[in-house]
Protein backbone atom coordinates (compact mmCIF):
# COMPACT_ATOMS: atom_id res chain seq x y z
CA UNK A 1 0.00 0.00 0.00
CA UNK A 2 1.46 3.38 -1.05
CA UNK A 3 1.82 6.36 1.27
CA UNK A 4 -0.92 8.13 -0.68
CA UNK A 5 -3.33 5.21 -0.19
CA UNK A 6 -2.57 5.08 3.55
CA UNK A 7 -3.12 8.83 3.83
CA UNK A 8 -6.44 8.58 1.96
CA UNK A 9 -7.54 5.70 4.19
CA UNK A 10 -6.89 7.63 7.41
CA UNK A 11 -8.44 10.77 5.94
CA UNK A 12 -11.62 8.85 5.04
CA UNK A 13 -11.62 7.15 8.44
CA UNK A 14 -11.30 10.50 10.25
CA UNK A 15 -14.14 12.03 8.21
CA UNK A 16 -16.37 9.01 8.97
CA UNK A 17 -15.47 9.23 12.65
CA UNK A 18 -16.81 12.81 12.68
CA UNK A 19 -20.22 11.60 11.48
CA UNK A 20 -22.31 10.08 14.32
CA UNK A 21 -24.55 8.37 11.78
CA UNK A 22 -21.72 6.42 10.14
CA UNK A 23 -21.01 2.76 10.86
CA UNK A 24 -17.36 3.67 11.44
CA UNK A 25 -18.31 6.05 14.27
CA UNK A 26 -20.71 3.56 15.88
CA UNK A 27 -18.20 0.72 15.55
CA UNK A 28 -15.33 2.67 17.08
CA UNK A 29 -17.64 3.94 19.84
CA UNK A 30 -18.73 0.36 20.59
CA UNK A 31 -15.12 -0.91 20.75
CA UNK A 32 -14.16 2.00 23.01
CA UNK A 33 -17.14 1.28 25.29
CA UNK A 34 -16.49 -2.47 25.45
CA UNK A 35 -12.95 -1.70 26.58
CA UNK A 36 -14.43 0.07 29.60
CA UNK A 37 -16.81 -2.85 30.22
CA UNK A 38 -13.74 -5.08 30.50
CA UNK A 39 -11.96 -2.59 32.78
CA UNK A 40 -15.02 -2.14 35.02
CA UNK A 41 -15.56 -5.91 35.32
CA UNK A 42 -11.88 -6.49 36.11
CA UNK A 43 -11.92 -3.74 38.76
CA UNK A 44 -14.88 -5.33 40.56
CA UNK A 45 -13.39 -8.84 40.39
CA UNK A 46 -10.13 -7.57 41.91
CA UNK A 47 -12.01 -5.66 44.59
CA UNK A 48 -14.02 -8.74 45.55
CA UNK A 49 -16.87 -6.73 47.03
CA UNK A 50 -18.94 -4.02 45.38
CA UNK A 51 -22.46 -2.92 44.57
CA UNK A 52 -22.23 -5.03 41.41
CA UNK A 53 -21.70 -8.16 43.52
CA UNK A 54 -24.89 -7.36 45.41
CA UNK A 55 -26.91 -6.73 42.24
CA UNK A 56 -25.81 -10.11 40.82
CA UNK A 57 -26.23 -11.92 44.19
CA UNK A 58 -22.52 -12.75 44.35
CA UNK A 59 -22.22 -11.94 48.05
CA UNK A 60 -25.67 -13.00 49.26
CA UNK A 61 -28.14 -15.77 48.44
CA UNK A 62 -31.53 -15.46 46.81
CA UNK A 63 -32.26 -19.20 47.02
CA UNK A 64 -34.87 -18.76 49.73
CA UNK A 65 -36.42 -15.59 48.28
CA UNK A 66 -39.06 -15.15 45.63
CA UNK A 67 -38.66 -12.95 42.58
CA UNK A 68 -41.20 -10.37 43.79
CA UNK A 69 -39.58 -10.05 47.21
CA UNK A 70 -37.14 -7.71 45.43
CA UNK A 71 -39.87 -5.67 43.74
CA UNK A 72 -39.13 -2.47 45.65
CA UNK A 73 -37.67 0.88 44.67
CA UNK A 74 -33.96 1.49 45.12
CA UNK A 75 -31.18 -1.11 44.99
CA UNK A 76 -33.51 -4.11 45.39
CA UNK A 77 -35.11 -3.29 42.05
CA UNK A 78 -31.87 -4.11 40.24
CA UNK A 79 -31.80 -7.53 41.90
CA UNK A 80 -35.40 -7.91 40.70
CA UNK A 81 -34.32 -7.14 37.11
CA UNK A 82 -31.39 -9.57 37.38
CA UNK A 83 -33.23 -12.34 39.26
CA UNK A 84 -34.02 -14.58 36.20
CA UNK A 85 -30.40 -14.41 34.97
CA UNK A 86 -29.05 -15.17 38.44
CA UNK A 87 -31.38 -18.16 38.76
CA UNK A 88 -30.22 -19.44 35.37
CA UNK A 89 -26.62 -19.29 36.58
CA UNK A 90 -25.53 -16.63 34.11
CA UNK A 91 -21.95 -15.60 35.02
CA UNK A 92 -20.95 -12.31 36.64
CA UNK A 93 -19.13 -11.03 33.55
CA UNK A 94 -22.25 -11.52 31.45
CA UNK A 95 -24.06 -9.07 33.74
CA UNK A 96 -21.41 -6.46 32.97
CA UNK A 97 -21.80 -7.11 29.26
CA UNK A 98 -25.59 -6.76 29.53
CA UNK A 99 -25.46 -3.47 31.42
CA UNK A 100 -22.53 -2.28 29.31
CA UNK A 101 -24.53 -2.73 26.10
CA UNK A 102 -27.39 -0.80 27.72
CA UNK A 103 -24.86 1.92 28.57
CA UNK A 104 -23.70 1.93 24.94
CA UNK A 105 -27.24 2.55 23.71
CA UNK A 106 -27.61 5.30 26.32
CA UNK A 107 -24.50 6.98 24.92
CA UNK A 108 -25.90 6.64 21.38
CA UNK A 109 -28.98 8.50 22.69
CA UNK A 110 -26.63 11.11 24.14
CA UNK A 111 -24.96 11.43 20.73
CA UNK A 112 -28.40 11.81 19.13
CA UNK A 113 -29.29 14.60 21.55
CA UNK A 114 -26.01 16.46 20.95
CA UNK A 115 -26.40 16.06 17.17
CA UNK A 116 -29.89 17.55 17.44
CA UNK A 117 -28.45 20.61 19.19
CA UNK A 118 -25.18 21.14 17.31
CA UNK A 119 -25.25 18.99 14.20
CA UNK A 120 -22.15 16.84 13.78
CA UNK A 121 -19.51 19.47 14.55
CA UNK A 122 -18.48 22.09 17.09
CA UNK A 123 -15.19 23.31 15.71
CA UNK A 124 -12.43 24.73 17.88
CA UNK A 125 -9.76 25.45 15.32
CA UNK A 126 -9.60 22.27 13.24
CA UNK A 127 -10.79 19.99 16.05
CA UNK A 128 -14.36 18.82 16.54
CA UNK A 129 -14.80 19.26 20.29
CA UNK A 130 -17.95 17.10 20.30
CA UNK A 131 -15.67 14.06 20.06
CA UNK A 132 -14.55 14.81 23.62
CA UNK A 133 -18.13 14.35 24.78
CA UNK A 134 -18.76 11.26 22.66
CA UNK A 135 -15.62 9.46 23.93
CA UNK A 136 -15.56 10.91 27.47
CA UNK A 137 -13.68 8.20 29.48
CA UNK A 138 -15.47 8.73 32.81
CA UNK A 139 -18.86 8.58 31.08
CA UNK A 140 -17.98 5.32 29.33
CA UNK A 141 -16.53 3.78 32.47
CA UNK A 142 -19.58 4.39 34.66
CA UNK A 143 -22.08 3.41 31.97
CA UNK A 144 -20.15 0.14 31.54
CA UNK A 145 -20.72 -1.12 35.08
CA UNK A 146 -23.23 -3.64 36.37
CA UNK A 147 -25.25 -1.15 38.40
CA UNK A 148 -27.65 1.76 38.44
CA UNK A 149 -25.54 4.13 36.36
CA UNK A 150 -26.36 2.82 32.83
CA UNK A 151 -30.10 2.84 33.63
CA UNK A 152 -29.98 6.26 35.27
CA UNK A 153 -27.96 7.80 32.45
CA UNK A 154 -30.29 6.33 29.81
CA UNK A 155 -33.27 7.76 31.69
CA UNK A 156 -31.70 11.21 31.98
CA UNK A 157 -30.74 11.34 28.30
CA UNK A 158 -34.25 10.32 27.19
CA UNK A 159 -35.75 12.96 29.48
CA UNK A 160 -33.43 15.72 28.23
CA UNK A 161 -34.18 14.66 24.65
CA UNK A 162 -37.92 14.87 25.40
CA UNK A 163 -37.54 18.31 27.01
CA UNK A 164 -35.51 19.55 24.03
CA UNK A 165 -38.09 18.32 21.51
CA UNK A 166 -40.98 19.34 23.81
CA UNK A 167 -42.34 15.80 23.46
CA UNK A 168 -43.74 14.77 26.82
CA UNK A 169 -46.19 12.12 25.70
CA UNK A 170 -43.78 9.61 24.21
CA UNK A 171 -43.84 6.12 25.68
CA UNK A 172 -40.05 6.13 26.14
CA UNK A 173 -40.24 9.45 28.03
CA UNK A 174 -42.55 8.01 30.67
CA UNK A 175 -40.60 4.74 30.91
CA UNK A 176 -37.53 6.89 31.62
CA UNK A 177 -39.49 8.79 34.30
CA UNK A 178 -40.53 5.53 36.00
CA UNK A 179 -37.04 4.01 35.84
CA UNK A 180 -35.38 7.14 37.26
CA UNK A 181 -37.97 7.60 40.01
CA UNK A 182 -37.81 3.91 40.99
CA UNK A 183 -34.03 3.49 40.98
CA UNK A 184 -32.81 6.87 42.21
CA UNK A 185 -35.76 8.87 43.59
CA UNK A 186 -33.47 11.61 44.95
CA UNK A 187 -32.13 12.26 41.43
CA UNK A 188 -35.70 12.19 40.12
CA UNK A 189 -36.69 14.77 42.74
CA UNK A 190 -33.78 17.08 41.84
CA UNK A 191 -34.59 16.81 38.13
CA UNK A 192 -38.29 17.46 38.81
CA UNK A 193 -37.42 20.64 40.73
CA UNK A 194 -34.96 21.73 38.02
CA UNK A 195 -37.38 21.01 35.16
CA UNK A 196 -40.29 22.74 36.88
CA UNK A 197 -38.19 25.82 37.62
CA UNK A 198 -36.95 25.89 34.02
CA UNK A 199 -40.54 25.67 32.79
CA UNK A 200 -41.56 28.61 35.00
CA UNK A 201 -38.69 30.65 33.52
CA UNK A 202 -39.20 29.76 29.84
CA UNK A 203 -42.88 28.80 29.48
CA UNK A 204 -44.91 30.89 27.02
CA UNK A 205 -48.17 30.76 28.99
CA UNK A 206 -49.30 33.26 31.59
CA UNK A 207 -47.69 33.12 35.02
CA UNK A 208 -50.95 31.87 36.53
CA UNK A 209 -51.21 29.04 33.99
CA UNK A 210 -47.59 27.99 34.60
CA UNK A 211 -48.01 28.13 38.38
CA UNK A 212 -51.17 26.02 38.15
CA UNK A 213 -49.36 23.30 36.20
CA UNK A 214 -46.37 23.43 38.53
CA UNK A 215 -48.71 23.09 41.52
CA UNK A 216 -49.99 19.78 40.10
CA UNK A 217 -46.45 18.36 40.38
CA UNK A 218 -46.23 18.94 44.13
CA UNK A 219 -47.76 15.53 45.05
CA UNK A 220 -45.17 13.79 42.85
CA UNK A 221 -42.39 15.75 44.53
CA UNK A 222 -43.72 14.87 47.99
CA UNK A 223 -43.94 11.19 47.03
CA UNK A 224 -40.32 11.23 45.82
CA UNK A 225 -39.23 13.00 49.00
CA UNK A 226 -40.98 10.33 51.07
CA UNK A 227 -39.21 7.60 49.06
CA UNK A 228 -35.86 9.29 49.68
CA UNK A 229 -36.53 9.42 53.44
CA UNK A 230 -37.37 5.71 53.49
CA UNK A 231 -34.35 4.61 51.45
CA UNK A 232 -31.98 6.73 53.53
CA UNK A 233 -33.41 5.32 56.79
CA UNK A 234 -34.21 8.86 57.98
CA UNK A 235 -37.84 7.66 57.82
CA UNK A 236 -39.57 10.96 58.58
CA UNK A 237 -38.85 14.62 58.01
CA UNK A 238 -36.79 16.12 60.81
CA UNK A 239 -34.06 18.63 60.11
CA UNK A 240 -31.81 17.42 62.95
CA UNK A 241 -32.13 13.82 61.75
CA UNK A 242 -31.18 14.89 58.21
CA UNK A 243 -28.12 16.80 59.47
CA UNK A 244 -27.03 13.83 61.60
CA UNK A 245 -27.51 11.48 58.65
CA UNK A 246 -25.40 13.67 56.35
CA UNK A 247 -22.70 14.05 58.99
CA UNK A 248 -22.65 10.29 59.49
CA UNK A 249 -22.43 9.78 55.76
CA UNK A 250 -19.37 12.05 55.48
CA UNK A 251 -17.64 10.27 58.38
CA UNK A 252 -18.42 6.85 56.87
CA UNK A 253 -16.00 7.57 54.01
CA UNK A 254 -13.11 8.06 56.44
CA UNK A 255 -11.63 4.61 55.80
CA UNK A 256 -12.12 4.65 52.02
CA UNK A 257 -9.19 4.78 49.63
CA UNK A 258 -9.90 8.21 48.13
CA UNK A 259 -11.36 9.95 51.18
CA UNK A 260 -11.35 13.76 51.25
CA UNK A 261 -12.09 15.66 54.50
CA UNK A 262 -15.07 17.62 53.21
CA UNK A 263 -16.14 18.63 56.72
CA UNK A 264 -12.95 20.64 57.16
CA UNK A 265 -13.28 22.46 53.81
CA UNK A 266 -14.92 25.81 53.17
CA UNK A 267 -18.14 25.64 51.16
CA UNK A 268 -16.30 27.04 48.12
CA UNK A 269 -13.62 24.34 48.22
CA UNK A 270 -16.27 21.68 48.79
CA UNK A 271 -17.92 22.79 45.56
CA UNK A 272 -14.59 22.85 43.71
CA UNK A 273 -13.72 19.39 45.04
CA UNK A 274 -17.08 17.91 44.10
CA UNK A 275 -17.13 19.30 40.58
CA UNK A 276 -13.47 19.23 39.52
CA UNK A 277 -11.42 16.84 41.67
CA UNK A 278 -9.32 14.77 41.47
CA UNK A 279 -7.06 17.32 39.80
CA UNK A 280 -4.49 16.25 37.24
CA UNK A 281 -1.63 16.56 39.75
CA UNK A 282 -3.47 14.28 42.19
CA UNK A 283 -3.24 11.33 39.79
CA UNK A 284 -1.33 8.29 41.06
CA UNK A 285 -1.93 5.77 38.22
CA UNK A 286 -3.13 5.70 34.61
CA UNK A 287 -6.80 5.54 35.56
CA UNK A 288 -6.66 8.57 37.84
CA UNK A 289 -4.59 10.35 35.18
CA UNK A 290 -7.50 9.90 32.75
CA UNK A 291 -9.88 11.19 35.40
CA UNK A 292 -7.63 14.21 35.97
CA UNK A 293 -7.67 14.99 32.22
CA UNK A 294 -11.47 14.62 32.25
CA UNK A 295 -11.77 17.09 35.08
CA UNK A 296 -9.30 19.53 33.52
CA UNK A 297 -11.34 19.64 30.28
CA UNK A 298 -14.56 20.03 32.29
CA UNK A 299 -12.96 22.90 34.27
CA UNK A 300 -11.80 24.58 31.04
CA UNK A 301 -15.34 24.39 29.67
CA UNK A 302 -16.55 26.28 32.75
CA UNK A 303 -13.71 28.81 32.60
CA UNK A 304 -14.26 29.63 28.92
CA UNK A 305 -18.06 29.83 29.24
CA UNK A 306 -17.95 32.02 32.37
CA UNK A 307 -15.27 34.22 30.78
CA UNK A 308 -17.44 34.73 27.70
CA UNK A 309 -20.47 35.52 29.85
CA UNK A 310 -18.52 38.17 31.77
CA UNK A 311 -16.99 39.71 28.64
CA UNK A 312 -20.37 39.82 26.88
CA UNK A 313 -22.52 40.75 29.85
CA UNK A 314 -24.24 43.62 28.01
CA UNK A 315 -25.41 41.26 25.26
CA UNK A 316 -26.91 38.54 27.46
CA UNK A 317 -30.45 39.84 26.97
CA UNK A 318 -30.21 38.82 23.31
CA UNK A 319 -29.61 35.19 24.21
CA UNK A 320 -32.53 32.80 23.70
CA UNK A 321 -31.95 30.06 26.25
CA UNK A 322 -34.26 27.01 26.00
CA UNK A 323 -35.90 25.02 28.76
CA UNK A 324 -33.42 22.13 28.56
CA UNK A 325 -30.54 24.59 29.17
CA UNK A 326 -32.04 25.94 32.39
CA UNK A 327 -32.91 22.38 33.46
CA UNK A 328 -29.31 21.22 33.00
CA UNK A 329 -27.82 24.19 34.86
CA UNK A 330 -30.30 24.12 37.78
CA UNK A 331 -30.02 20.32 38.03
CA UNK A 332 -26.22 20.59 38.24
CA UNK A 333 -26.36 23.32 40.88
CA UNK A 334 -28.83 21.32 42.96
CA UNK A 335 -26.61 18.22 42.77
CA UNK A 336 -23.66 20.27 43.95
CA UNK A 337 -25.59 21.89 46.78
CA UNK A 338 -26.95 18.56 48.08
CA UNK A 339 -24.02 16.20 47.56
CA UNK A 340 -21.24 18.36 49.01
CA UNK A 341 -22.86 17.69 52.40
CA UNK A 342 -23.34 13.98 51.64
CA UNK A 343 -20.17 12.58 50.04
CA UNK A 344 -16.47 12.69 50.95
CA UNK A 345 -14.82 10.37 48.43
CA UNK A 346 -13.25 11.20 45.06
CA UNK A 347 -14.50 7.94 43.52
CA UNK A 348 -18.07 8.77 44.54
CA UNK A 349 -17.63 12.25 43.07
CA UNK A 350 -16.69 10.70 39.72
CA UNK A 351 -19.57 8.22 39.81
CA UNK A 352 -22.06 10.95 40.72
CA UNK A 353 -20.65 13.21 38.01
CA UNK A 354 -22.16 11.22 35.13
CA UNK A 355 -25.63 12.22 36.35
CA UNK A 356 -25.07 15.93 35.71
CA UNK A 357 -21.66 16.70 34.11
CA UNK A 358 -22.44 15.50 30.53
CA UNK A 359 -25.56 17.68 30.44
CA UNK A 360 -23.79 20.65 32.00
CA UNK A 361 -20.93 20.29 29.49
CA UNK A 362 -23.47 20.45 26.64
CA UNK A 363 -25.05 23.53 28.25
CA UNK A 364 -21.61 25.20 28.46
CA UNK A 365 -20.92 24.51 24.78
CA UNK A 366 -24.38 25.85 23.95
CA UNK A 367 -23.74 29.15 25.75
CA UNK A 368 -20.36 29.47 23.97
CA UNK A 369 -22.03 29.03 20.59
CA UNK A 370 -24.91 31.38 21.38
CA UNK A 371 -22.55 34.15 22.48
CA UNK A 372 -20.54 33.63 19.29
CA UNK A 373 -23.74 33.91 17.20
CA UNK A 374 -24.84 37.06 19.05
CA UNK A 375 -21.45 38.66 18.38
CA UNK A 376 -21.70 37.74 14.70
CA UNK A 377 -25.14 39.36 14.38
Amino acid sequence: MTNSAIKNFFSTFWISLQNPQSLVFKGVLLCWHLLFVLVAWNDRVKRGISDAHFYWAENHTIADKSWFSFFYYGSDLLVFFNYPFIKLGVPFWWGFLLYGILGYFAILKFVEWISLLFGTRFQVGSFNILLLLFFWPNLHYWTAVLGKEPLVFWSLVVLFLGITKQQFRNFSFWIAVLVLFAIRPHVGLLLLVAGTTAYLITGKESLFSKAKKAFLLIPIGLLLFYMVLQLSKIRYFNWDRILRFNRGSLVSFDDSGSYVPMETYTVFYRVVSFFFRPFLWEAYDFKTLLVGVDNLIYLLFHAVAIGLLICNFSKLKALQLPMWFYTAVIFTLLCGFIFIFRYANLGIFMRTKIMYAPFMAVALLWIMREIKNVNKS
Side-chain angles (χ1 to χ4, degrees):
M1 188 179 286
T2 63
N3 288 338
S4 177
I6 293 172
K7 187 176 179 180
N8 286 337
F9 170 79
F10 280 107
S11 176
T12 304
F13 176 82
W14 179 246
I15 292 170
S16 298
L17 190 61
Q18 307 268 338
N19 179 12
Q21 301 301 320
S22 72
L23 290 176
V24 170
F25 173 86
K26 292 177 180 177
V28 171
L29 189 72
L30 177 60
C31 292
W32 178 249
H33 190 72
L34 289 176
L35 175 63
F36 284 94
V37 173
L38 180 62
V39 171
W41 169 76
N42 188 55
D43 282 350
R44 300 314 185 279
V45 170
K46 282 183 178 179
R47 196 182 307 172
I49 185 169
S50 66
D51 290 342
H53 286 81
F54 172 79
Y55 299 140
W56 210 254
E58 290 285 299
N59 55 8
H60 65 100
T61 180
I62 61 172
D64 57 342
K65 295 181 180 178
S66 68
W67 189 1
F68 278 85
S69 65
F70 295 101
F71 190 66
Y72 191 73
Y73 57 87
S75 297
D76 283 353
L77 191 60
L78 260 72
V79 183
F80 175 81
F81 291 153
N82 300 333
Y83 189 95
F85 303 113
I86 298 168
K87 281 292 189 180
L88 289 171
V90 174
F92 190 45
W93 66 264
W94 195 92
F96 272 85
L97 184 60
L98 176 67
Y99 279 78
I101 293 298
L102 175 62
Y104 170 72
F105 283 113
I107 290 175
L108 283 182
K109 271 289 180 191
F110 184 56
V111 171
E112 179 188 340
W113 179 54
I114 292 175
S115 300
L116 176 68
L117 296 172
F118 297 102
T120 59
R121 289 174 178 270
F122 188 106
Q123 293 294 130
V124 176
S126 59
F127 181 71
N128 181 10
I129 205 168
L130 297 183
L131 292 176
L132 292 176
L133 298 181
F134 298 157
F135 293 91
W136 193 335
N138 189 59
L139 175 61
H140 280 271
Y141 179 83
W142 286 109
T143 54
V145 300
L146 195 176
K148 297 177 182 178
E149 285 73 24
L151 289 164
V152 169
F153 185 69
W154 175 84
S155 300
L156 288 169
V157 172
V158 171
L159 293 176
F160 270 98
L161 195 56
I163 292 170
T164 304
K165 293 180 176 181
Q166 295 290 293
Q167 294 177 350
F168 304 109
R169 297 182 180 181
N170 285 357
F171 179 72
S172 60
F173 183 89
W174 288 103
I175 290 294
V177 168
L178 290 174
V179 169
L180 183 62
F181 286 5
I183 292 179
R184 282 220 169 115
H186 64 288
V187 177
L189 178 59
L190 295 179
L191 187 64
L192 180 68
V193 172
T196 303
T197 307
Y199 167 69
L200 292 173
I201 294 170
T202 62
K204 304 297 183 184
E205 303 100 315
S206 67
L207 181 60
F208 176 75
S209 177
K210 290 189 290 186
K212 187 169 63 174
K213 290 179 180 178
F215 184 78
L216 295 174
L217 296 175
I218 291 177
I220 299 174
L222 291 175
L223 174 62
L224 289 170
F225 186 58
Y226 171 80
M227 292 165 67
V228 172
L229 291 178
Q230 302 313 302
L231 284 177
S232 63
K233 310 300 182 186
I234 297 173
R235 299 300 184 193
Y236 58 88
F237 179 74
N238 179 284
W239 190 245
D240 288 336
R241 284 175 65 88
I242 293 172
L243 290 178
R244 284 200 304 272
F245 174 78
N246 285 341
R247 198 174 302 116
S249 176
L250 290 174
V251 172
S252 70
F253 290 104
D254 193 21
D255 295 328
S256 61
S258 54
Y259 168 74
V260 285
M262 291 288 274
E263 280 194 296
T264 66
Y265 292 165
T266 63
V267 172
F268 174 76
Y269 195 56
R270 284 188 184 197
V271 171
V272 170
S273 296
F274 180 71
F275 284 126
F276 306 116
R277 289 182 67 191
F279 298 123
L280 194 57
W281 56 86
E282 293 179 302
Y284 52 85
D285 58 18
F286 181 72
K287 199 159 58 174
T288 52
L289 180 65
L290 274 180
V291 170
V293 172
D294 266 9
N295 286 336
L296 178 61
I297 293 170
Y298 189 55
L299 178 60
L300 287 174
F301 277 14
H302 280 79
V304 171
I306 292 170
L308 287 172
L309 285 170
I310 293 171
C311 294
N312 296 273
F313 185 77
S314 61
K315 303 172 187 174
L316 296 186
K317 289 183 179 179
L319 296 179
Q320 299 294 321
L321 300 176
M323 180 178 169
W324 72 262
F325 175 87
Y326 285 104
T327 303
V329 173
I330 296 168
F331 179 57
T332 300
L333 293 176
L334 287 174
C335 286
F337 177 75
I338 297 295
F339 295 139
I340 61 171
F341 299 103
R342 176 78 174 83
Y343 298 137
N345 178 282
L346 295 178
I348 298 294
F349 292 170
M350 294 309 298
R351 186 175 75 178
T352 306
K353 190 167 287 185
I354 74 146
M355 293 189 300
Y356 65 84
F359 308 102
M360 187 62 184
V362 173
L364 293 169
L365 289 180
W366 178 270
I367 203 75
M368 292 178 205
R369 191 186 70 172
E370 290 303 292
I371 290 174
K372 181 180 177 182
N373 290 339
V374 167
N375 283 330
K376 278 185 177 179
S377 62

